[in-house]
Amino acid sequence: MRDRSGHGRRPHQGRYLVRALLIGCVLLTLGAVGWAAVAYATHDADSRPTQQKSAERQAGLAPDQHPNIGRYYIPGYARIQNGTAVLRYTIEGAGDSTVADFLRTYEIGGRPRTTGPTEITYTDRVDGARRTIVIAYDDPDTDPTKEDIPARITVTAEPPGGA
């Protein structure tokens, strides 16, 4: 059978070639999308340190530095500024979010200093870094021995050997 041009090709042969090419493109696209999805799903977000993770580690507050606790506080702010880690936490003062639980979770002990009318400070060393934990209460009539009081906690940790 001859086509309109006079050549000996079948008239539907070109259509099959176009269909095969389109199917190949679709399969190639699906394969690329599938590969990207697998790569995204298996990407380990913890493989690169972030400011928060680096600051938590320097301050001795990273979850893997306290493996037997099972729960942790997430800082609202965490940065390393001029080599010093600065983390800020908000304690609700109710349920699981108390100052006493924060201190117990991160094994912060010792005798605090009163550094203001609504502020107490703990100072210690963790992995060679000098760490200062400042607990500030909003209410000037706060009794820091009570557990159910909202507070703001600021943790600073100089690098080992000083800033």
Side-chain angles (χ1 to χ4, degrees):
M1 171 177 232
R2 295 182 183 261
D3 64 4
R4 292 181 193 163
S5 66
H7 292 78
R9 265 188 349 187
R10 288 192 224 159
H12 299 294
Q13 189 175 5
R15 289 184 193 161
Y16 294 127
L17 187 59
V18 169
R19 286 182 186 160
L21 185 62
L22 286 175
I23 289 172
C25 288
V26 167
L27 290 174
L28 186 63
T29 302
L30 287 175
V33 168
W35 175 80
V38 168
Y40 179 76
T42 59
H43 173 71
D44 185 8
D46 291 334
S47 64
R48 287 179 272 161
T50 63
Q51 279 280 329
Q52 177 180 332
K53 290 175 190 168
S54 297
E56 285 179 318
R57 175 155 307 290
Q58 185 170 322
L61 303 176
D64 63 350
Q65 291 172 311
H66 304 274
N68 298 324
I69 302 302
R71 62 181 228 86
Y72 306 94
Y73 288 82
I74 298 171
Y77 175 88
R79 297 283 184 269
I80 295 183
Q81 300 169 346
N82 300 322
T84 299
V86 178
L87 299 104
R88 294 189 185 111
Y89 299 85
T90 300
I91 303 300
E92 300 298 325
D96 291 340
S97 179
T98 64
V99 171
D101 183 62
F102 182 90
L103 297 173
R104 185 173 40 255
T105 297
Y106 296 112
E107 303 170 40
I108 299 167
R111 187 168 209 138
R113 292 180 297 133
T114 302
T115 51
T118 60
E119 200 172 271
I120 59 172
T121 302
Y122 291 85
T123 304
D124 62 5
R125 289 205 168 277
V126 60
D127 295 333
R130 182 174 186 267
R131 178 172 69 176
T132 304
I133 300 103
V134 177
I135 303 168
Y137 299 97
D138 295 329
D139 184 3
D141 296 325
T142 295
D143 177 4
T145 60
K146 293 185 179 177
E147 288 194 14
D148 59 348
I149 299 170
R152 289 170 285 116
I153 299 177
T154 303
V155 179
T156 57
E158 297 175 0

